[in-house]
Amino acid sequence: MGTSSCSASKPLLSLLAFLTVLLLVLITLRDQLSPWTIGFRGVGVTVGGSTEPTAAAATPKDRLLGGLLSPDFDEQSCLSRYQITLYRKTSTHILSSYLLSKLRKYEALHKKCGPNTPLFQKSVEQIKLNHSTDQLECNYVVLSPFDGIGNRMLSITATFLYALLTDRVMLIHLPEDMDDLLCEPFPGTTWYLPSDFPIQGLEWFNTHSQNSYGYLVEKNLINTDPKAPPSSLPSSIYVHLMNDMREAHLHVRFFCDDDQLVISKINWVLLRTNQYIIPGLFIIPKYAEELERMFPSKETVFHHLGRYLLHPSNTVWGMIMRYHDSYLTKSKETIGIQIRNYSHWAPISAENAYEQVVRCTQQELILPSVNLNQSHTSPLTSTKATSKTVLLVSLSRDVYERLYNLYYEHPTITGELISVYQPSHEEQQKFFNKFHNYKAMAEIWLLSFSDVLVTTAVSTFGYVSYSLAGIKPWYLWTAILDRNITNHPCRRALSLDPCYHTPPHFNCKTGGKADPRNIVPYVRQCDDYTHDPAIKLYD
């Protein structure tokens, strides 16, 4: 009898064990996402966590962004694509009609040549033959994104411009931590490389990979004569354009005219980069005329292509809407502040970072000064109080707490009421973590809705935020650029486009070194990174 009772209890014990494990998993997921799913933990005001956007009741104005977007999508599949105009300010930057025509032609090309089409399969079969042919209708560039979310957004957009210039179809080798991060940008097709693609392990390719263009050139294993027939060339090559590219000497030949002629005959270009290589494309003579037609205003390249290409998935968009509608709709002006502490090469203490933010925002009249001799228990001196909201984005909570306390405890000299919010504080960047990437993506888009932006110099996270917004930010200077950052806290950006931190220093004619800042007048030294030669686009 006792044995029977013990046996009967075993299923119950197993069920209890299973439920305990399930509960622990659910608690972990709740802790990772709860600030976003419960209306967020913004401090300063208590607001309920509605799951529906208050702005969504309105009809989006110019939902196609002046013709930038295609109307051929199911809106429910990607809510952010057509709802973005309810949140982000209307762009004042003019679109080229030629760029719009290029985008429509590219969409048709991608639909014809994308994955799961006969032409795609024909090109995949070419890889097995290991030589190119001029008879194929479709050629491809495959990107393996790497590094933080900012770097990935910049490299995806740069690769897309290269695809536009070379009539290639762009495909993304999707890392697991980018799953459900972005919507499909092209109607009726996908931009994700199939998992059964015959070349595997792209994320591990490097300067020494034996199919890399630099290696093949160095070992004389590829015909670099611009007149070489396709049949003499491999069916695929790897191009390494990472931040260590300067050390990988012959990889920089990617930015040379003659080498681009050779590469144009190769069916598959496999690419790894964590850089914004677009200024480098502008110094290639072969593409100068086409780029001029697409972008008569040079510094709007990422602004236009990023708004076309990058749309948060419904999962991320829900996070964005809930936070925005809970905390960022009550004021007349939103000030976005993004702080990045480069602890390895330009560290700054929490106190100095706080002083830098306060000095910058008050000297530039972005935020009002406070009366430190009064507390908020004293009557306000102005009856015409307006409201500003500060959205502070940082891995650390230190600056937020100081800034929040400053405006919570003391009245401003203008009588304005200042609310300060910080969506999350992860403490450190978490690579290869999908939930961390969700939050980072959401915070970039929230910053891009701001009226005024203050971002950390050299930060790719900041680049994407202000370029999408179409707003030139104030750069918080980093210690490596100016050790006296509290006295020289920030500087206004001179260009809207991001910086290419590690451009090629290569003379295509002599094979020696060359300064990329002296090739064309609109590619010059970055205005936020003067420590090394780095380039960006200017009007």
Side-chain angles (χ1 to χ4, degrees):
M1 190 73 166
T3 303
S4 176
S5 175
C6 182
S7 300
S9 66
K10 286 182 179 180
L12 179 60
L13 290 174
S14 298
L15 178 61
L16 288 173
F18 171 76
L19 291 174
T20 301
V21 172
L22 180 61
L23 180 62
L24 289 173
V25 171
L26 292 174
I27 290 173
T28 300
L29 292 174
R30 181 205 65 186
D31 290 342
Q32 288 179 313
L33 285 176
S34 60
W36 301 91
T37 55
I38 307 174
F40 230 126
R41 192 185 53 242
V43 180
V45 201
T46 302
V47 184
S50 170
T51 59
E52 294 298 327
T54 57
T59 302
K61 298 178 181 178
D62 189 19
R63 65 201 298 267
L64 301 183
L65 305 182
L68 191 65
L69 304 181
S70 167
D72 301 330
F73 284 96
D74 169 25
E75 182 172 345
Q76 295 303 311
S77 67
C78 181
L79 295 171
S80 66
R81 192 190 323 273
Y82 299 135
Q83 290 183 4
I84 195 74
T85 54
L86 298 171
Y87 296 85
R88 188 179 291 149
K89 305 298 180 291
T90 302
S91 175
T92 60
H93 304 283
I94 297 174
L95 276 165
S96 157
S97 59
Y98 184 70
L99 173 62
L100 300 183
S101 68
K102 288 283 290 186
L103 295 175
R104 300 293 87 81
K105 289 178 181 177
Y106 176 85
E107 290 164 359
L109 175 68
H110 199 114
K111 190 171 184 178
K112 180 176 76 171
C113 299
N116 305 315
T117 64
L119 290 174
F120 175 81
Q121 192 57 41
K122 186 176 181 180
S123 294
V124 168
E125 292 297 322
Q126 195 69 31
I127 294 176
K128 301 174 183 177
L129 301 176
N130 200 29
H131 66 78
S132 291
T133 173
D134 54 4
Q135 298 177 347
L136 292 182
E137 293 184 54
C138 306
N139 294 306
Y140 300 84
V141 55
V142 178
L143 172 68
S144 179
F146 182 73
D147 239 334
I149 287 297
N151 296 76
R152 295 185 191 194
M153 298 301 105
L154 294 176
S155 64
I156 288 172
T157 306
T159 303
F160 178 62
L161 178 57
Y162 181 67
L164 285 180
L165 290 169
T166 57
D167 293 322
R168 290 182 179 272
V169 171
M170 181 185 76
L171 298 174
I172 304 293
H173 176 257
L174 182 68
E176 289 184 7
D177 62 341
M178 282 186 66
D179 181 45
D180 196 29
L181 194 69
L182 291 166
C183 296
E184 294 279 3
F186 313 122
T189 183
T190 182
W191 66 340
Y192 293 124
L193 188 71
S195 59
D196 61 351
F197 187 66
I199 299 176
Q200 295 289 311
L202 180 57
E203 67 272 24
W204 303 111
F205 285 14
N206 55 52
T207 58
H208 305 295
S209 296
Q210 294 187 4
N211 64 337
S212 71
Y213 188 68
Y215 179 89
L216 294 172
V217 171
E218 180 184 3
K219 303 298 183 182
N220 293 314
L221 297 175
I222 189 171
N223 188 345
T224 56
D225 183 348
K227 297 180 181 179
S231 58
S232 69
L233 298 170
S235 58
S236 67
I237 57 161
Y238 166 65
V239 178
H240 185 88
L241 301 181
M242 300 286 284
N243 57 299
D244 62 352
M245 186 193 65
R246 289 176 183 170
E247 301 170 8
H249 306 293
L250 294 178
H251 289 273
V252 301
R253 289 181 55 165
F254 175 85
F255 294 97
C256 297
D257 251 5
D258 285 351
D259 293 84
Q260 279 297 315
L261 286 172
V262 174
I263 292 171
S264 69
K265 302 172 187 178
I266 297 174
N267 299 140
W268 293 87
V269 173
L270 313 175
L271 174 64
R272 284 191 77 215
T273 181
N274 58 355
Q275 296 289 300
Y276 183 66
I277 65 170
I278 283 178
L281 299 178
F282 272 78
I283 63 177
I284 302 175
K286 174 181 173 65
Y287 303 130
E289 182 179 348
E290 189 77 350
L291 288 168
E292 176 67 35
R293 294 183 67 188
M294 283 194 280
F295 302 102
S297 175
K298 305 294 185 297
E299 63 184 62
T300 62
V301 177
F302 186 86
H303 175 64
H304 291 319
L305 292 185
R307 292 184 306 134
Y308 168 77
L309 200 64
L310 307 174
H311 306 285
S313 68
N314 285 353
T315 299
V316 179
W317 186 242
M319 296 164 64
I320 295 168
M321 289 190 302
R322 285 189 291 273
Y323 189 76
H324 179 275
D325 294 340
S326 293
Y327 300 108
L328 305 180
T329 59
K330 307 297 182 182
S331 64
K332 295 182 179 179
E333 186 176 39
T334 298
I335 313 298
I337 301 176
Q338 178 256 342
I339 301 172
R340 176 66 189 268
N341 187 352
Y342 300 103
S343 56
H344 296 297
W345 56 275
I348 181 174
S349 69
E351 182 61 32
N352 284 343
Y354 164 70
E355 290 180 3
Q356 183 183 17
V357 168
V358 171
R359 284 177 180 268
C360 171
T361 54
Q362 293 184 359
Q363 287 177 9
E364 301 298 339
L365 304 180
I366 298 169
L367 290 173
S369 300
V370 301
N371 189 336
L372 295 174
N373 296 320
Q374 283 186 293
S375 67
H376 264 311
T377 57
S378 306
L380 293 174
T381 57
S382 171
T383 57
K384 297 181 179 179
T386 58
S387 174
K388 290 184 179 180
T389 295
V390 175
L391 174 70
L392 193 145
V393 171
S394 173
L395 290 172
S396 171
R397 190 172 175 81
D398 295 331
V399 175
Y400 160 75
E401 290 179 342
R402 287 172 166 86
L403 194 64
Y404 171 79
N405 289 336
L406 178 70
Y407 286 105
Y408 181 77
E409 295 173 0
H410 304 285
T412 62
I413 61 174
T414 60
E416 294 173 287
L417 298 178
I418 309 299
S419 297
V420 183
Y421 299 100
Q422 181 178 10
S424 68
H425 49 94
E426 298 282 278
E427 299 305 329
Q428 61 182 359
Q429 190 166 357
K430 300 175 183 177
F431 293 101
F432 315 116
N433 184 307
K434 182 164 67 172
F435 296 110
H436 179 84
N437 289 342
Y438 282 173
K439 297 175 190 177
M441 183 98 170
E443 289 176 345
I444 287 176
W445 259 252
L446 285 168
L447 283 171
S448 77
F449 300 160
S450 301
D451 298 288
V452 179
L453 278 167
V454 179
T455 65
T456 300
V458 195
S459 168
T460 57
F461 194 104
Y463 291 164
V464 177
S465 301
Y466 73 70
S467 295
L468 288 174
I471 297 172
K472 292 180 182 178
W474 274 265
Y475 288 130
L476 293 170
W477 229 223
T478 59
I480 198 170
L481 304 173
D482 188 343
R483 292 292 174 184
N484 195 14
I485 56 176
T486 53
N487 290 330
H488 303 93
C490 62
R491 179 183 299 179
R492 189 74 186 269
L494 301 177
S495 168
L496 185 63
D497 218 48
C499 173
Y500 182 8
H501 293 151
T502 58
H505 298 171
F506 187 72
N507 188 315
C508 294
K509 294 181 180 179
T510 67
K513 288 189 175 182
D515 192 333
R517 300 169 297 182
N518 298 329
I519 297 176
V520 291
Y522 42 80
V523 176
R524 304 197 298 274
Q525 178 68 41
C526 295
D527 52 359
D528 70 324
Y529 188 64
T530 58
H531 185 66
D532 286 316
I535 56 177
K536 72 186 300 185
L537 296 166
Y538 294 86
D539 286 332

